[in-house]
Amino acid sequence: MDTDVFPPEFAKSAAAAAHFWKLLEQVDDLDWIYLAPPPGIGPGERTGRFRRGGRELLQTPGGTLPGISFDDYAIAIVDELESPSHIRDRFTVAY
C-alpha cells in the first residue's frame, strides 16, 4: 500500500488490515491464517486456477496490478482450511 500504484480509495481499509496483521503477529495462543487479497479482487469467473504467494504481493508479467475473482478467492480460503500450510502466517493468491 506504500507504492504509487496502490489505489487511494483502498488506503483506509488497507491501513486497518495492516494494523490487524500487526495485532495477529503478537498472538501466540491461537492458530490463525491471514489471506491477503490482491488489489484487483472483484467479480469474475471461477477458474479454480490461481497462483499462491507468500507475504509479498504477487507480480504480473506486464506490471499491472494482480487480481483474482471473489469465487477463486473463496476457493483459496477453503483450500487453506482443508489443508493448512500457513498456520500463524500470511499469504496471498492471484492470477
Side-chain angles (χ1 to χ4, degrees), residues 59-73:
Q59 300 296 316
T60 58
T64 58
L65 291 176
I68 194 166
S69 71
F70 291 133
D71 292 357
D72 281 338
Y73 189 76

Side-chain angles (χ1 to χ4, degrees), residues 27-50:
V27 174
D28 60 5
D29 61 346
L30 176 70
D31 285 342
W32 52 267
I33 61 169
Y34 189 102
L35 178 53
I41 188 170
E45 182 181 342
R46 176 183 174 176
T47 67
R49 298 183 345 181
F50 45 84

